Amino acid sequence: MPEAGWDYAKQTTNQKLNQVIMVFLFYFLSAIMVISALLVVFSKSPINNVIYLIICFIAMAGHYILLNAQFLAVVHIIVYTGAIMVLFLFVIMLLNLNKAIIPQKSAVTRIMAVVTGGIFFLVLIAATRQTFVINPRYAFTSEIGLVANVGKTLFHEFLLPFEISSVLFISAMVGAVMFGKRDHAVGDD
Amino acid sequence: MNALIFTTILGIIILYLGLTKNKKILAPAGIAGLLVTLFLSFNDWGLGSAYFHNMVVFDNFSIAFNISMIIITIVIFLFGIDYYKMMEFHVAEQYSLMVFALVGAFLMTSFSNLIILFLGIEILSIPLYILAGGKKFSFKSNEASFKYFLLGSFATAFFLFGIALVYGASATFYLPEIKTYIAQFKGNLPPMLLIGLLFIIIGVAFKVAVAPFHFWSPDVYEGSPTLVTAFMATVVKTAGFAAFYRLLGIGLLPLPESLEKALWVMTGLSLLIGNLVALKQYNFKRLLAYSSIAHSGFIMLAMLSQHDRSASVILYYTFVYSIASVPLFIIFILVKRASNGLDHLKAFQGLYKKAPWVAVFMTILLMSMAGIPPTAGFIAKYQVFILSISQGYLGISIFAILMAVVGIYYYFNVVREVFTDRDHLEPLVITKLNAGLIIVCGIAVVVMGIFVWHLPI
């Protein structure tokens, strides 16, 4: 959505047209996202699930571009759509899961799931109803999502989280090697 | 900060030492490194230095908790020398993963930015998911690892969603700024902020296994390798409560009434579920899992009392609980080995005949867990009750005292088994190191109960 507080009177027709297009794109992408997200849940075949999820992610990348966060959009497509989802597809194909094998839960579990999920949904709806517009603390500039600015923030203000996440990755790699390596059974403690 | 950096390097050093194929040097190297970390932490005492745009603040609170966690980790590493003797593969990985988890724990005690809290929780959790599955050929260990991973990532998703909502409302990740932002509403928070805070609390509550979010803990405690269970029950618990106190006690309390009510309900449920379900447990690790849920309830009580001394009481409680838990796990492993892998409480039968002094120390440790004088566990619980009663929370304090009395029953169930005779006695093999650990921890519990009633913070 375009930023609030625009001076509508001073806008040229060109700007107005731009805004209409932006609003249209926003609703278009949102509709794609919502529909594909619902299809992820409702379709039975795992392959279809993954494909719908990819569509959902691509639409989300479109949202990032609308917010002028090009870098995020590109990374999102490369990492999620490119790497993770292709990995998903590979795993599904290798394990030959192309059938609907969702285990059937008992009626009690289902009812409980529906009730808790419904209550949670209700709370979220109630929350969104009362949401108000918050004045943005940082002024919106069109350059906010450019690679240079993201990099500056990342290596200046967020340097520690950026560096410390290496510990996370090294422990994940250690785990992958540990579980992936073949070794034989030993004593049980 | 030096301690944090050095610990990270220590993890990598241990990983490389694994290449030498010499298992014997791993634990001593790890312990030596941890002693250096301990020294570096002591050096930072009283400085209260903040780093990286105030993202982490190493004040006395965080250093006190760090030191307590380092000491416990050293004890666990000493236990590891005997525990990993039979294991051929991946010993270096196990030690280094524990050190990496400690890095996450340091971040959790010292954050002042929600991003750091998130990273700390993740750096603590991911090594644990791996460590829980350390016994690759045991079905239960695989189950524990997978269950912990799935539920843990679910909780992380909640936590992250909460951070996003809070950031969306307040446009900041910094705790003090969030507090001023909350204060301006005078208790009438916008729903987005309210839900965000609730989700953050849920995420942290999952990590410390507070009652409605405790379902993972008995299964994970039971399935994980015992040394990892000891690590989870002590270091992870301490880190979790340090983070919880930093988030609420130092950071955000007093919260609006609805959220505080939710926290009180969590406290009451932990006390109730932890103590009552533990009555029916006959697997020792499951029993300790439920007892740790019950202990979470007591620590929550201290935290919610909102007094200046809460931090010190929580530190004392977690330290005493940890120092009593580790030797109990050691004794459990010794007994389990002697009875062919039995983890029922019956495995303890005949312990008094086999090794009377172990039985005596076991009784002392269990007394400390139950909170019976003259052990430190009594002082810990006593201080919690004094704190909560002095702050006017009389009802829940009486309830907590009742639940503590219920707790005595199931701890003494174990003591009864220890002093019960069994017909055929297998010999109990105790290495000198393990014997030393049991004796030192047992004496420490009594000495702390008589002489040391406060830990400086």
Side-chain angles (χ1 to χ4, degrees):
Chain A
M1 283 290 279
E3 278 302 303
W6 278 31
D7 196 347
Y8 284 88
K10 282 183 188 165
Q11 286 171 24
T12 60
T13 37
N14 202 0
Q15 272 174 324
K16 267 182 192 161
L17 186 67
N18 270 345
Q19 210 174 353
V20 170
I21 292 172
M22 289 280 273
V23 171
F24 169 73
L25 276 176
F26 173 79
Y27 283 111
F28 180 67
L29 289 171
S30 306
I32 292 179
M33 263 183 82
V34 171
I35 292 169
S36 57
L38 285 176
L39 283 171
V40 171
V41 182
F42 287 121
S43 75
K44 294 267 191 218
S45 144
I47 298 262
N48 288 357
N49 288 345
V50 173
I51 302 283
Y52 287 129
L53 201 56
I54 292 176
I55 295 173
C56 183
F57 282 157
I58 291 176
M60 196 188 278
H63 273 302
Y64 287 140
I65 292 175
L66 279 189
L67 290 168
N68 237 336
Q70 290 100 331
F71 179 68
L72 205 55
V74 171
V75 168
H76 191 78
I77 289 200
I78 291 174
V79 173
Y80 282 92
T81 328
I84 293 180
M85 281 299 127
V86 171
L87 204 68
F88 255 64
L89 270 182
F90 262 114
V91 170
I92 288 169
M93 285 172 180
L94 284 176
L95 294 180
N96 205 8
L97 291 176
N98 199 10
K99 294 183 291 288
I101 43 156
I102 302 160
Q104 293 297 314
K105 293 266 163 48
S106 68
V108 181
T109 324
R110 283 186 183 186
I111 291 169
M112 286 308 288
V114 168
V115 168
T116 40
I119 290 171
F120 180 58
F121 186 64
L122 204 71
V123 171
L124 280 185
I125 293 286
T128 25
R129 264 192 64 238
Q130 294 181 35
T131 313
F132 53 91
V133 177
I134 293 153
N135 297 327
R137 177 182 288 210
Y138 306 109
F140 181 83
T141 58
S142 57
E143 279 152 14
I144 200 159
L146 296 183
V147 182
N149 293 320
V150 173
K152 265 181 201 154
T153 322
L154 201 58
F155 286 101
H156 183 69
E157 202 188 338
F158 288 92
L159 181 64
L160 180 67
F162 180 77
E163 292 287 345
I164 210 86
S165 45
S166 58
V167 183
L168 192 66
F169 296 136
I170 199 169
S171 36
M173 278 191 287
V174 169
V177 172
M178 229 175 98
F179 284 147
K181 235 174 155 187
R182 189 186 295 267
D183 44 33
H184 38 82
V186 279
D188 179 47
D189 254 348
Chain B
M1 193 73 206
N2 290 334
L4 187 81
I5 295 167
F6 185 79
T7 319
T8 314
I9 297 168
L10 176 68
I12 297 167
I13 290 173
I14 295 175
L15 213 51
Y16 273 109
L17 282 178
L19 291 175
T20 61
K21 305 275 178 205
N22 186 358
K23 277 191 307 175
K24 283 197 179 119
I25 57 169
L26 292 170
I31 291 161
L34 286 173
L35 286 173
V36 175
T37 317
L38 199 62
F39 171 73
L40 291 172
S41 296
F42 271 117
N43 261 357
D44 281 348
W45 181 263
L47 296 180
S49 28
Y51 296 92
F52 292 100
H53 304 265
N54 287 330
M55 282 222 173
V56 284
V57 182
F58 285 91
D59 47 13
N60 282 0
F61 171 83
S62 84
I63 289 171
F65 272 95
N66 287 355
I67 288 171
S68 115
M69 287 188 297
I70 294 167
I71 292 170
I72 300 297
T73 314
I74 290 174
V75 174
I76 288 177
F77 272 32
L78 287 169
F79 172 32
I81 292 175
D82 178 48
Y83 185 81
Y84 285 132
K85 209 176 256 171
M86 284 189 290
M87 200 168 163
E88 280 183 58
F89 299 100
H90 312 307
V91 180
E93 282 90 334
Q94 309 246 2
Y95 280 122
S96 65
L97 282 174
M98 268 185 265
V99 172
F100 287 139
L102 200 59
V103 174
F106 288 172
L107 288 176
M108 281 166 78
T109 58
S110 59
F111 72 95
S112 97
N113 186 308
L114 289 178
I115 294 281
I116 296 287
L117 174 61
F118 169 68
L119 273 173
I121 288 183
E122 281 306 283
I123 293 173
L124 183 79
S125 303
I126 286 187
L128 282 177
Y129 302 152
I130 302 161
L131 285 168
K135 289 189 288 182
K136 273 158 79 173
F137 297 92
S138 145
F139 175 73
K140 272 193 171 168
S141 174
N142 296 349
E143 185 206 356
S145 173
F146 198 63
K147 200 171 249 177
Y148 197 19
F149 172 62
L150 274 188
L151 292 175
S153 30
F154 200 64
T156 303
F158 265 89
F159 181 67
L160 209 52
F161 192 21
I163 292 182
L165 288 175
V166 169
Y167 184 76
S170 65
T172 178
F173 289 124
Y174 286 94
L175 275 184
E177 290 180 36
I178 294 172
K179 189 177 187 178
T180 35
Y181 183 79
I182 292 174
Q184 85 187 46
F185 292 102
K186 298 191 179 61
N188 200 8
L189 291 194
M192 186 157 126
L193 196 58
L194 206 59
I195 290 186
L197 290 171
L198 185 66
F199 281 5
I200 290 177
I201 290 171
I202 287 175
V204 185
F206 176 87
K207 276 293 149 228
V208 291
V210 166
F213 314 105
H214 67 282
F215 286 100
W216 60 275
S217 87
D219 288 343
V220 172
Y221 275 40
E222 188 192 349
S224 306
T226 305
L227 183 112
V228 177
T229 312
F231 190 76
M232 276 181 202
T234 55
V235 174
V236 177
K237 201 103 186 170
T238 311
F241 270 107
F244 220 159
Y245 188 78
R246 226 185 156 84
L247 180 73
L248 296 179
I250 298 176
L252 303 176
L253 283 175
L255 281 169
E257 204 186 333
S258 48
L259 277 180
E260 280 202 20
K261 224 175 252 170
L263 285 166
W264 281 115
V265 169
M266 278 155 70
T267 311
L269 275 179
S270 310
L271 290 167
L272 190 72
I273 293 175
N275 281 308
L276 289 191
V277 182
L279 295 176
K280 278 281 164 200
Q281 299 302 318
Y282 297 103
N283 178 310
F284 186 66
K285 275 154 109 182
R286 286 186 89 85
L287 178 84
L288 281 190
Y290 279 105
S291 111
S292 100
I293 295 167
H295 284 297
S296 297
F298 291 113
I299 303 173
M300 287 280 283
L301 188 62
M303 183 170 76
L304 292 175
S305 298
Q306 298 173 41
H307 190 272
D308 295 337
R309 283 201 32 234
S310 288
S312 153
V313 171
I314 292 173
L315 175 68
Y316 189 83
Y317 199 110
T318 51
F319 185 70
V320 164
Y321 165 70
S322 307
I323 211 84
S325 290
V326 179
L328 280 177
F329 281 110
I330 297 177
I331 297 172
F332 169 67
I333 271 298
L334 298 176
V335 166
K336 193 180 162 188
R337 276 178 188 160
S339 56
N340 298 324
L342 186 69
D343 48 13
H344 194 271
L345 290 187
K346 282 205 175 89
F348 287 104
Q349 280 178 359
L351 183 63
Y352 180 70
K353 270 276 176 64
K354 279 184 270 185
W357 64 272
V358 176
V360 169
F361 275 109
M362 176 119 189
T363 311
I364 292 173
L365 294 166
L366 284 168
M367 272 164 72
S368 176
M369 297 285 266
I372 297 171
T375 56
F378 167 73
I379 303 298
K381 281 205 173 72
Y382 171 78
Q383 284 182 338
V384 170
F385 297 143
I386 289 289
L387 201 63
S388 61
I389 291 170
S390 73
Q391 293 297 94
Y393 300 111
L394 197 61
I396 189 126
S397 304
I398 291 170
F399 177 68
I401 292 170
L402 276 178
M403 283 298 138
V405 174
V406 171
I408 294 173
Y409 174 78
Y410 58 81
Y411 291 118
F412 274 74
N413 238 344
V414 185
V415 174
R416 196 187 60 207
E417 297 291 346
V418 166
F419 288 93
T420 308
D421 260 349
R422 190 157 57 175
D423 300 334
H424 51 96
L425 296 170
E426 299 89 348
L428 194 73
V429 186
I430 311 176
T431 61
K432 277 194 184 122
L433 191 64
N434 279 344
L437 280 179
I438 294 166
I439 293 170
V440 167
C441 291
I443 290 174
V445 162
V446 177
V447 168
M448 280 183 80
I450 297 173
F451 297 110
V452 189
W453 289 18
H454 301 283
L455 293 174
I457 204 160

